[in-house]
Amino acid sequence: MENHYAIETQSLGRVYKIRNPGKKENKTLTALEGVDLQIKPGELFGLLGPNGAGKTTLIKILTTLLAPTHGYASVAGYDVSKSPDDVRQRINMVSGGESSGYGLLTVRENLWMFAQFYGIESKEANQRIKTLLEIVGIADRANSRSSNLSTGLRQKMNIVRGFLTDPEILFLDEPTLGLDVGASRDVRSFIRRWMDDDPKRTLLLTTHYMIEADELCDRVAIINKGKVLACGTPASLKQSLQKDAIFHIDLDSPKVLVESVFSILPGVTSVKIHDNENKTIMDLVLDEESALANVIATVTSQGAQIVTLQKREPTLEDVFVKLVGQRMEEVEHADAPAS
Amino acid sequence: MAAWLGWKIESNWTDPFLFTIYSIVKPLAAAMILVVMYGVITNNQFGSPVFAYLFIGNAFYQYVANVMVGVSWAIVDDREHYCTLKYLYVSPISIPYYLMGRGVARVLITTFSVFIIMVVGVAFLHIPFNPAQINWPLFVLSLVIGIIMLAMLGLLLAGVTLRMAQYSFNIGDSVAGALYLFSGAIFPLEVLPAFLRPLGYIMPISYWLELIRRSLVGGVAESFPTFAAISDVNLLLILAALSVLFGVVSVWAWKKFDWEARERGLLDQTNNY
Ligand SMILES: Nc1ncnc2c1ncn2[C@@H]1O[C@H](COP(=O)(O)OP(=O)(O)OP(=O)(O)O)[C@@H](O)[C@H]1O
Ligand SMILES: [Mg+2]
C-alpha cells in the first residue's frame, strides 16, 4: 500500500450513535461524511470550520483514537484502522482548550515522561525540553508543578509535548483556543518556524479562526456539518471571489434593516447585516460593482444613512459565507444547544 | 517509566503524613477491627489456628485490592482527572504495559504495609511464626505468581472500565470487596453456602492465599479442610494454571474492550456527553 501522501482519506465518514434511553430507536448523528483529503509531506494544512463541523472527529480518526464508520484513512502510508501501531510511531497530537497533564509532576517531569514513552534518550529529551520551554516562554516554570500553572501556561506545556517528540506528522486541534492574543501569536509563529526548519514535517491543524487559517496554512479545507466544502491555498480560495466586488458599509439607521430587502436586488450575491455598538454593519458581495448604485438607493429609501463605505479584498470569511450562506458565527449560534 | 509515574502519583500525597496514614495506619486499623471482632466472638482464643488463618489471609488480601485497583484505576485517573489517556494512546507505548507499570508502585507500597501488619501480628498477637519453618522458595514463588495473576485481573477490570465510560466508579475496589468473602481470606470456603462455593474454587486468589499461609505457617493451614488433600506442588500448579487461564481471558477481553472503546470514541470521554 505505497502512497506518497502524508495523510489521505477516501470518502471518510463517522456516524455517532446517540443512546436514547426513553425510546427504542437510537438516534444517529453524522459528524463526518464523504471526506476526501490528500495532504503531501511538508504541508501545513488547516481545517477551518465552526463548532460542531467535525474537525475534532477527523483528528481523532487520523490519530487512531476513533474508528471511522465509513471510508478509509491513511497516515504516513498506514491504514489507521488496520495498523494503528505503525501510525502511532510517527505522529503526535495536541488538543487546545483543555488542561491535561499530571498535576503532581513538574512541567519538566511531565514532558520528560512523555519523551520516554516515545523512546527519546533522556539527555536528548532534557535538551529539547529546555529549548522548547524557552521558545514558548515558560522556561522559568520548568520546575513548577503543572497543577500550579494557569490554563494558558498548561496549554503551552501541552503544545511543547507535541513538538518534543519531533513527529513526522503532527496534529493540532485548535492549538490557540483559549490563549490570549499574544500567546496565540507566539504559538502561531512557533508552528511556522517548526515547519520551515525541516521540509519533511507535516502538520494538520484545526481552527475556527479565519486569520489562523489564512496567515499560517499552506492549504486550507473549509468544513461544515461534516463535509469538506472547498480546499485549496488561502489565495486560491479567495481567488474564487476575485471577480466579485466586496463592500463593507457602516450605516446609521433608525430602524432595523432586513436582509431580504437587499438580497433580491439584481447583482447582489450575498448580504449580511448585523449591529455592532449602535452601528449597523452591512457586508455585501456583488456580482459586479455597478449593482452598488441600486443598493445605495435602497438604503436611502429605508431612511438609513451611509457613514462609511469600503471596498475590500475577499477574506476566508467571505469564502465561507459564499459556500454556506451564513457567517461562521451564525452557524455556531444556530447550533448552540449541541455541545 | 510508567512505574516511575505510578510511584510519583501514589506516593506524592503532597504530605508524607497522609501517605503514612493511608498506606499503613488504615490497613492496620482494619486488621485490628478484625482482631477485636475475633477476640469478642471466640473469647480471646488468639492461640487458635483459626486466628492465624484469618490474620494472614486478611493481611495478604491487601495485595488483591491494591494491585487490581492500581492497574484499573489508572484508566479513570488518566482519562478523567489528568486528561492524558488519549495522549498515551496516540503514543507508541502499549497501554497494558503502561497500566502494569502504574501497578508496580502499589505492589511496593502494599508489600511494606503487609510487612508491618505481619510484624505487629507476630510481636503482639502471637501468630505462630517460626522463621526457621518458613518455606521461602514456596513463599516467593507463590507471591510472584500471585502478583502477576492479580495484575492480569486488574487488566480485565481496566478493560471493563475503559469500555464503561459513563461512571468513574472504582470497579477494582468493588470487585476486591466482593471477592473478599469468596476467596477464603478470613474464613474457609466451607463456611459459605454450598451454591456459592464454586466461585471460590475457580478464583486463583483462594489457592494463592492458601499457598501463602502454608509457606509461612505450615501447621496452621493443615487444620483446615478446604485444600488439605492437595499437595503444595499441586496447589502451585493449580494456581499457575488458573493464572494462565485468567491471563488469557484478560488479554482477550482487554483487546475486545479496547477495540470497542475506539469504535465508540470513549478513549477521551470525560463525562461531557
Ligand atoms: N462522542 C460523541 N457522541 C455523540 N456525538 C458526538 C460525539 N463527539 C462529537 N459528537 C458530535 O459530532 C459533531 C462534530 O463534533 P466535533 O467535535 O468533531 O466538531 P468540531 O468541529 O471539533 O467542533 P468544536 O469547534 O466544537 O470543537 C458535533 O455535532 C458533536 O456534537
Ligand atoms: Mg473540536
Side-chain angles (χ1 to χ4, degrees):
Chain A
M1 183 108 19
E2 271 303 305
N3 86 33
H4 54 282
Y5 293 115
I7 300 169
E8 187 183 18
T9 70
Q10 286 165 12
S11 2
L12 190 67
R14 171 71 208 195
V15 175
Y16 286 109
K17 283 199 187 73
I18 297 180
R19 256 189 269 148
N20 220 357
K23 302 181 188 131
K24 264 182 287 165
E25 296 266 306
N26 279 344
K27 275 201 290 185
T28 61
L29 187 150
T30 305
L32 222 50
E33 192 179 349
V35 172
D36 295 295
L37 288 176
Q38 278 112 29
I39 301 173
K40 291 191 282 294
E43 276 196 293
L44 203 176
F45 193 92
L47 278 172
L48 174 67
N51 289 143
K55 305 182 295 293
T56 302
T57 302
L58 180 56
I59 291 237
K60 280 166 72 173
I61 292 175
L62 295 176
T63 54
T64 76
L65 289 175
L66 181 68
T69 47
H70 302 87
Y72 162 85
S74 78
V75 169
Y78 295 96
D79 186 328
V80 292
S81 304
K82 292 193 189 115
S83 332
D85 289 335
D86 291 306
V87 173
R88 289 170 188 162
Q89 302 281 342
R90 293 165 176 81
I91 62 168
N92 203 341
M93 189 261 290
V94 178
S95 14
E98 56 157 49
S99 42
S100 74
Y102 298 97
L104 293 161
L105 303 183
T106 67
V107 172
R108 193 202 309 279
E109 287 171 335
N110 261 295
L111 294 169
W112 180 80
M113 190 187 68
F114 270 96
Q116 296 306 298
F117 292 157
Y118 283 78
I120 298 169
E121 205 215 322
S122 182
K123 234 174 93 187
E124 167 75 13
N126 282 322
Q127 186 57 47
R128 286 193 203 172
I129 290 169
K130 192 160 168 273
T131 316
L132 287 169
L133 287 179
E134 269 163 24
I135 292 176
V136 299
I138 52 171
D140 54 326
R141 307 302 298 271
N143 295 318
S144 316
R145 281 194 177 190
S146 65
S147 57
N148 295 340
L149 297 187
S150 68
T151 322
L153 294 187
R154 266 203 195 205
Q155 191 162 337
K156 282 188 171 179
M157 172 182 92
N158 205 7
I159 288 171
V160 167
R161 185 187 49 68
F163 288 95
L164 178 62
T165 62
D166 196 11
E168 210 173 301
I169 302 168
L170 179 59
F171 296 87
L172 301 177
D173 192 8
E174 314 223 21
T176 60
L177 188 71
L179 292 182
D180 63 40
V181 182
S184 301
R185 201 186 317 110
D186 291 349
V187 168
R188 281 200 286 273
S189 63
F190 177 62
I191 291 174
R192 192 65 260 179
R193 196 170 124 190
W194 187 76
M195 288 302 289
D196 294 341
D197 276 351
D198 183 346
K200 287 195 293 291
R201 290 169 173 162
T202 309
L203 194 149
L204 176 74
L205 72 80
T206 74
T207 180
H208 63 255
Y209 301 123
M210 296 290 169
I211 28 148
E212 202 155 292
D214 202 347
E215 287 172 7
L216 196 56
C217 300
D218 300 325
R219 267 194 320 142
V220 173
I222 294 182
I223 175 170
N224 188 41
K225 298 214 166 96
K227 290 187 184 146
V228 173
L229 303 175
C231 179
T233 62
S236 73
L237 289 171
K238 291 183 284 188
Q239 190 80 45
S240 64
L241 291 177
Q242 212 69 39
K243 59 181 193 332
D244 301 321
I246 300 174
F247 294 93
H248 179 91
I249 307 172
D250 286 351
L251 297 166
D252 196 359
S253 174
K255 61 172 191 174
V256 177
L257 295 176
V258 183
E259 285 171 2
S260 57
V261 173
F262 297 92
S263 56
I264 53 165
L265 296 174
V268 174
T269 308
S270 85
V271 58
K272 291 287 152 205
I273 298 173
H274 57 106
D275 286 331
N276 188 5
E277 297 170 4
N278 305 329
K279 274 190 311 189
T280 303
I281 294 169
M282 177 187 280
D283 281 301
L284 198 60
V285 182
L286 304 174
D287 284 351
E288 45 183 311
E289 233 170 290
S290 59
L292 185 62
N294 241 331
V295 174
I296 295 175
T298 313
V299 166
T300 321
S301 75
Q302 300 272 318
Q305 276 183 330
I306 292 177
V307 182
T308 61
L309 185 152
Q310 285 172 337
K311 181 167 186 204
R312 57 174 181 78
E313 290 299 305
T315 63
L316 287 179
E317 176 86 57
D318 300 318
V319 179
F320 187 87
V321 170
K322 177 141 181 175
L323 290 168
V324 178
Q326 278 180 309
R327 290 183 312 125
M328 233 162 74
E329 264 176 46
E330 291 175 305
V331 175
E332 292 184 356
H333 288 308
D335 288 353
S339 114
Chain B
M1 196 43 44
W4 173 78
L5 173 67
W7 177 255
K8 282 276 186 180
I9 289 178
E10 300 300 343
S11 62
N12 219 328
W13 291 83
T14 56
D15 188 342
F17 175 67
L18 260 181
F19 176 67
T20 317
I21 295 215
Y22 196 80
S23 55
I24 311 286
V25 179
K26 206 179 121 198
L28 201 54
M32 287 313 127
I33 292 174
L34 201 64
V35 168
V36 170
M37 273 167 36
Y38 174 84
V40 171
I41 294 170
T42 64
N43 214 351
N44 295 334
Q45 303 262 312
F46 289 117
S48 148
V50 176
F51 179 65
Y53 179 99
L54 74 87
F55 192 84
I56 297 175
N58 176 66
F60 280 84
Y61 197 82
Q62 284 185 83
Y63 276 110
V64 177
N66 286 349
V67 174
M68 290 200 312
V69 172
V71 172
S72 63
W73 186 247
I75 294 280
V76 176
D77 242 6
D78 284 7
R79 180 163 58 193
E80 314 219 343
H81 304 157
Y82 303 119
C83 300
T84 45
L85 188 67
K86 59 178 170 178
Y87 298 125
L88 294 168
Y89 257 95
V90 166
S91 83
I93 57 155
S94 120
I95 300 292
Y97 172 84
Y98 167 79
L99 293 175
M100 298 297 158
R102 286 286 295 269
V104 168
R106 291 264 185 163
V107 171
L108 294 178
I109 294 169
T110 307
T111 302
F112 186 52
S113 144
V114 169
F115 179 76
I116 301 274
I117 291 181
M118 290 305 294
V119 166
V120 169
V122 173
F124 302 108
L125 300 167
H126 314 294
I127 300 286
F129 200 74
N130 181 350
Q133 276 177 10
I134 297 177
N135 185 344
W136 284 107
L138 184 64
F139 175 71
V140 172
L141 197 59
S142 309
L143 192 63
V144 169
I145 296 180
I147 288 172
I148 296 173
M149 175 264 297
L150 292 171
M152 294 315 279
L153 291 180
L155 182 65
L156 178 66
L157 298 182
V160 175
T161 309
L162 187 70
R163 175 63 185 74
M164 187 189 65
Q166 283 83 354
Y167 315 100
S168 57
F169 95 97
N170 194 335
I171 188 173
D173 244 2
S174 323
V175 170
L179 287 180
Y180 190 54
L181 304 178
F182 298 107
S183 45
I186 45 170
F187 50 78
L189 293 177
E190 280 73 22
V191 175
L192 291 173
F195 70 97
L196 285 174
R197 284 179 214 162
L199 188 58
Y201 285 112
I202 60 158
M203 287 314 291
I205 299 170
S206 316
Y207 300 89
W208 176 65
L209 287 174
E210 175 73 7
L211 275 165
I212 294 287
R213 281 191 203 100
R214 280 194 195 186
S215 61
L216 289 179
V217 281
V220 168
E222 277 158 24
S223 29
F224 293 93
T226 316
F227 299 117
I230 308 175
S231 72
D232 290 356
V233 175
N234 283 345
L235 210 51
L236 205 54
L237 287 176
I238 294 173
L239 173 64
L242 281 177
S243 300
V244 169
L245 182 71
F246 272 84
V248 170
V249 169
S250 296
V251 169
W252 174 82
W254 168 265
K255 285 198 173 139
K256 179 175 146 62
F257 290 138
D258 178 75
W259 189 80
E260 285 182 5
R262 214 153 85 84
E263 194 85 335
R264 286 160 208 243
L266 303 176
L267 299 181
D268 62 346
Q269 200 88 314
T270 47
N271 275 327
N272 289 332
Y273 286 96

